[in-house]
Amino acid sequence: LPAGPREEVLREGTEAYKIFIETLLELTDDIEGADIVHPENTLRHDGDDPYMVVAADKGTATFSDTANAISEGRGFWLGDAFASGGSAGYDHKGMGITARGAWEAVKRHFREMDVDIQVVPFTVAGVGDMSGDVFGNGMLRSEAIRLVAAFDHRDIFIDPDPDPAVSFAERKRLFDLPRSSWQDYGPGLISKGGGVFPRTAKSISLSAEAQAAIGLDKATATPQEVMSAILKAPVDLLWFGGIGTYLRASTETDDQAGDRANDAIRVTAAGIRAKVVGEGANLGVTQRARIEAARRGIRINTDAIDNSAGVNTSDLEVNIKIALATPVKDGRLTIEDRNAFLAEMTGEVAGLVLRNNYMQTLALSLAERRGLEDLSFERRLMQTLEGRGLLDRAVEFLPDEKALAERAQNGQALTRPELAVLLAYAKISLYDDLLVTSVPDDPYLGRELFRYFPEPMQRRFPDAIEGHRLRREIIATMLANSLINRGGPSLLARVADKTGADVAAIAAAFAAARDAYGLGELCNAIDALDAKIPGGVQLGLYTEVQNLLLSRIVWFLRNVDFNEGLQAVVTRFRDGIGEVRGNLGIALGKEAEDDRLARTASLEDAGVPRELAQAVASLPALYAAPDIVLVAERTSRPLAESAATLFAVDAYFGLEGVIGSASAISVPDYYERLAFDRALDLIANAQRGIAIEAAAQGAGVAAVRAWAEARPEADRVKRMVQDICSSGLTVAKLSVLSSLLSDLVKS
């Protein structure tokens, strides 16, 4: 709801509820046994009185149109944006958007196993049929699919050795029929030993080929036994597109799964043999089962991650319609023109939605890759959310303090499904926190508003976007997504505890670090390598970028006054960092430059294009770039000279080796991690301070030597640094080293 007096909010909220209830009452006869109108989204104003944006299930237009007609008839401000998915909205099944979003998750799982499922044939078992939105659209996402078995509420389908091209064409034919079932599948197109069997049969005779395909060593079995076997089939992908809960944890009962209709066929996560699980449908797997599967090495997210694209599309539709109400009212668009414009943007809307699926699953992969390194910060996040009354770990099946301690001791990090829950909570809480600050009103951060909408809208109706009634909410949403997707679920807990900064300052520092370094463009270049380089190498590139981002957010919070304006800060440091980047080959010492060249060559050997390999290989050296900008400003020396001097300080004390060795230290304890990060910050501060003092003697190596000769204690500290590094670096030793260098600057 737009911000306003409480009375207005309550009045509009009540009006929305009346419309919703009235719609349900009017549709009572129609909805019995059919798709039920349900709320997709709930937005709250000060925690009170939510209003609902209604979406008809499966994108069915009939109910949405009825609800919108009531909304418009009553003069409700949302108009026909009240219910998404209507005849003037986006048809989810027609777009295949829910399945396409889930497929982004599936592709990532396989890509990180170095398998391109758009090209390489792979086996699939699933729940659903080709008439269903999610199952049907999902099984048309790749022509390399080999669907060996599936079942729905009517039939069981088994095709032991399908030809990818032939089976794809037949699935497409079934999908295009007005209504279809597995019984419509051409019998002559099913491979030897396969067939379609009714679930009502007393028993099913299984050929040797069918037995091998589903992993059931029985010539005759009941339909229930066959369906259970399909869930446990030795396939690459288990794809859920139908209604029902089919997997529970070994520690759960069928009653706890909460789906009596499928008690007879449900299996435990410990029994499944698929490599990847794709949850195109809701509630196909219990959360405990997901965790159990993930701990056994099966790649799985949660249904909230995998099938979020449908809800996301509804969000976009509603907000686009709210924006376009402006040109409709002032006569620039007729309602017919608006509807045509909506249809023209279908591709762009889908692209924006799928980008969210891409980014969320990448965030999970990076968090999973960090593993134990981030466990202490994730623990801190849970504690913070609990303290605010926003999280109940038991309800979300997240480990308590004792379980977390045991995991840390046993070297076990959070699983991907657990990280998915934390990712959601981190975004929700950050959104709420940003909304009550001035962040959505900042001119620079306000640019996030335009990034939310399709590019054709940005071109044609920028004023309608700028004047959006929910502009602050959209900006807060975009920023929360960007911060958590790029920095990980524990970003806020990590940075706030290190710096004491509030969310407004952290958002500003995030934007400064991201844009001053051009990290968005760098990540786009890494995105372009999907399925072109090994998955582990690609994640390594992203991790390098994320490490820099997390470190420099803290740097900006500690060293920059944002009162000069975020735009000015970004411009000042972007230009300086760009100049430093361009002069690295000259400014770096020989050892550091040799290391950069070796890293570049190694990445090129792994298939990374030369320009990107150079950019990523340069990131370790560019950590110091903002410090170089400050050195130049405080000494009135050119940036190139300041860079040479600061890197000469590195070379004199051997700090390149220190930082390299520090990156290999495992620091699972929360407070040790804070001490570790603080020590690195102090070393960087000392490095900058020495460079500033040395600049009085000139530039580069000569200036640092002259500075050292004037301070006898510098040589002693240099020897101690070498001794500390040669005896194996620890957090304690790193802290001592940082103190020695800091004292040297003070003296």
Side-chain angles (χ1 to χ4, degrees):
L1 285 171
R6 179 177 174 79
E7 292 76 18
E8 179 183 344
V9 172
L10 288 173
R11 183 170 62 253
E12 294 208 83
T14 302
E15 184 72 358
Y17 271 125
K18 286 180 180 177
I19 296 172
F20 180 63
I21 293 169
E22 183 176 338
T23 303
L24 288 178
L25 290 174
E26 290 191 9
L27 295 175
T28 298
D29 293 336
D30 295 333
I31 66 175
E32 189 171 345
D35 298 332
I36 299 175
V37 177
H38 67 280
E40 285 272 18
N41 308 305
T42 302
L43 301 180
R44 295 184 179 275
H45 180 84
D46 293 334
D48 295 320
D49 306 294
Y51 81 83
M52 296 180 180
V53 176
V54 182
D57 195 23
K58 300 182 181 178
T60 306
T62 306
F63 301 141
S64 293
D65 287 344
T66 302
N68 283 332
I70 297 172
S71 173
E72 291 179 297
R74 286 172 168 267
F76 188 56
W77 71 273
L78 277 168
D80 75 340
F82 177 72
S84 65
S87 56
Y90 294 110
D91 177 358
H92 293 186
K93 183 175 182 179
M95 294 173 69
I97 195 63
T98 302
R100 290 167 68 186
W103 205 251
E104 288 297 316
V106 169
K107 285 195 297 184
R108 181 170 299 285
H109 287 311
F110 280 102
R111 191 161 60 238
E112 291 170 8
M113 294 191 290
D114 298 330
V115 177
D116 182 359
I117 59 173
Q118 301 307 108
V119 177
V120 179
F122 65 107
T123 55
V124 183
V127 179
D129 68 271
M130 292 309 298
S131 69
D133 173 9
V134 179
F135 188 91
N137 274 303
M139 291 299 95
L140 296 177
R141 298 315 330 142
S142 168
E143 295 187 23
I145 291 172
R146 298 180 65 241
L147 181 64
V148 299
F151 64 85
D152 67 354
H153 60 286
R154 298 164 294 187
D155 303 300
I156 298 170
F157 169 81
I158 300 177
D159 190 1
D161 187 22
D163 178 282
V166 171
S167 59
F168 179 88
E170 182 64 359
R171 289 196 304 274
K172 180 70 166 62
R173 185 184 71 82
L174 264 59
F175 182 80
D176 290 337
L177 292 175
R179 293 181 180 275
S180 70
S181 74
W182 288 121
Q183 294 288 346
D184 296 307
Y185 201 100
L189 302 178
I190 299 176
S191 59
K192 181 183 177 183
V196 177
F197 313 94
R199 286 183 59 162
T200 54
K202 290 185 178 181
S203 64
I204 296 173
S205 295
L206 295 172
S207 66
E209 294 83 1
Q211 292 177 54
I214 65 175
L216 181 60
D217 189 18
K218 293 183 72 172
T220 303
T222 65
Q224 289 77 13
E225 289 174 321
V226 173
M227 288 184 284
S228 293
I230 290 173
L231 294 171
K232 296 186 291 184
V235 293
D236 296 313
L237 171 65
L238 178 58
W239 175 255
F240 286 105
I243 298 170
T245 303
Y246 298 97
L247 298 185
R248 62 171 173 83
S250 302
T251 56
E252 286 181 302
T253 65
D254 285 321
D255 281 345
Q256 287 175 305
D259 175 26
R260 288 189 176 183
N262 289 300
D263 283 354
I265 61 176
R266 187 176 301 111
V267 300
T268 67
I272 63 173
R273 287 173 283 182
K275 296 174 184 176
V276 172
V277 176
E279 293 194 68
N282 288 320
L283 304 175
V285 187
T286 70
Q287 179 66 359
R288 286 194 182 102
R290 295 183 187 113
I291 295 168
E292 181 174 87
R295 297 186 78 168
R296 294 181 57 250
I298 295 167
R299 294 172 183 259
I300 183 171
N301 299 314
T302 64
D303 53 356
I305 292 292
D306 283 3
N307 64 37
S308 63
V311 174
N312 198 350
T313 302
S314 294
D315 291 342
L316 262 167
E317 178 190 325
V318 168
N319 283 314
I320 288 171
K321 284 182 175 179
I322 292 172
L324 293 180
T326 298
V328 169
K329 287 178 181 176
D330 64 26
R332 283 179 288 168
L333 273 181
T334 65
I335 195 66
E336 292 76 19
D337 290 338
R338 187 214 64 169
N339 293 345
F341 188 43
L342 285 172
E344 290 168 11
M345 293 191 295
T346 301
E348 286 84 356
V349 168
L352 290 169
V353 169
L354 296 178
R355 180 64 178 171
N356 284 336
N357 289 86
Y358 184 96
M359 291 302 301
Q360 285 205 134
T361 54
L362 173 59
L364 288 177
S365 292
L366 292 176
E368 189 177 26
R369 180 185 175 92
R370 301 186 82 89
L372 284 175
E373 178 188 346
D374 275 12
L375 184 60
S376 61
F377 293 118
E378 290 154 359
R379 180 180 191 173
R380 180 63 176 152
L381 172 62
M382 286 185 255
Q383 291 170 342
T384 302
L385 291 171
E386 281 181 320
R388 296 174 59 184
L390 300 176
L391 171 68
D392 186 328
R393 286 195 228 186
V395 170
E396 299 294 351
F397 306 109
L398 290 169
D400 58 21
E401 291 298 299
K402 181 181 178 182
L404 281 173
E406 290 175 354
R407 288 205 195 183
Q409 187 174 5
N410 296 329
Q412 297 175 335
L414 292 183
T415 64
R416 195 176 180 95
E418 290 167 322
L419 290 169
V421 172
L422 278 187
L423 187 85
Y425 272 94
K427 288 185 176 183
I428 292 168
S429 61
L430 178 55
Y431 165 83
D432 288 339
D433 292 341
L434 287 171
L435 200 55
V436 297
T437 70
S438 61
V439 165
D441 306 310
D442 183 279
Y444 189 85
L445 294 175
R447 299 176 183 182
E448 300 292 327
L449 175 67
F450 282 81
R451 291 179 54 239
Y452 177 84
F453 291 96
E455 202 266 338
M457 259 189 82
Q458 297 178 34
R459 287 198 315 269
R460 288 188 61 183
F461 304 108
D463 61 313
I465 294 174
E466 185 66 37
H468 202 287
R469 292 186 68 163
L470 299 175
R471 58 168 288 129
R472 298 186 86 258
E473 288 80 359
I474 293 171
I475 293 169
T477 298
M478 292 293 286
L479 281 171
N481 279 336
S482 190
L483 263 81
I484 302 303
N485 283 343
R486 291 300 187 192
S490 61
L491 169 67
L492 267 291
R494 177 197 300 265
V495 175
D497 281 359
K498 285 183 183 179
T499 64
D502 59 22
V503 293
I506 292 172
F510 166 81
R514 178 193 65 188
D515 297 346
Y517 276 96
L519 298 184
E521 295 81 358
L522 190 55
C523 285
N524 289 341
I526 300 173
D527 295 343
L529 298 180
D530 284 350
K532 296 178 181 178
I533 61 173
V537 173
Q538 188 179 30
L539 283 180
L541 299 179
Y542 285 121
T543 300
E544 293 273 9
V545 175
Q546 189 178 66
N547 287 341
L548 174 71
L549 175 66
L550 293 171
S551 170
R552 297 305 84 183
I553 289 173
V554 173
W555 188 94
F556 274 99
L557 287 169
R558 286 181 172 157
N559 294 284
V560 175
D561 181 3
F562 286 99
N563 287 329
E564 63 181 283
L566 187 50
Q567 176 67 74
V569 169
V570 170
T571 301
R572 169 187 166 200
F573 283 96
R574 181 181 58 220
D575 294 346
I577 291 169
E579 188 173 339
V580 172
R581 184 186 288 114
N583 288 288
L584 278 179
I586 300 171
L588 285 174
K590 184 179 185 309
E591 184 178 342
E593 176 62 5
D594 287 347
D595 180 65
R596 185 172 75 106
L597 293 175
R599 284 166 53 83
T600 300
S602 176
L603 290 173
E604 283 190 271
D605 289 343
V608 180
R610 180 170 181 76
E611 185 176 349
L612 179 58
Q614 288 177 327
V616 175
S618 299
L619 292 182
L622 289 176
Y623 275 66
D627 283 305
I628 292 170
V629 173
L630 294 189
V631 171
E633 290 176 348
R634 294 176 187 179
T635 62
S636 299
R637 291 275 187 177
L639 266 169
E641 288 187 9
S642 299
T645 304
L646 190 136
F647 289 133
V649 174
D650 262 5
Y652 179 83
F653 289 102
L655 295 180
E656 303 105 320
V658 171
I659 304 305
S661 299
S663 64
I665 301 175
S666 176
V667 194
D669 180 77
Y670 172 72
Y671 291 104
E672 281 198 1
R673 186 76 206 185
L674 290 180
F676 173 85
D677 290 336
R678 182 61 175 163
L680 290 180
D681 288 340
L682 287 174
I683 290 171
N685 289 343
Q687 179 189 19
R688 183 178 69 219
I690 293 170
I692 289 172
E693 292 182 6
Q697 309 294 325
V701 174
V704 174
R705 284 177 180 167
W707 171 86
E709 288 171 1
R711 288 168 176 74
E713 66 274 22
D715 189 57
R716 177 182 61 84
V717 171
K718 177 181 179 179
R719 291 195 304 272
M720 292 186 70
V721 170
Q722 293 171 346
D723 290 342
I724 288 173
C725 290
S726 63
S727 61
L729 206 57
T730 64
V731 174
K733 290 179 180 179
L734 199 65
S735 297
V736 171
L737 192 155
S738 67
S739 296
L740 288 170
L741 290 170
S742 297
D743 290 343
L744 191 59
V745 178
K746 292 176 185 175
S747 67

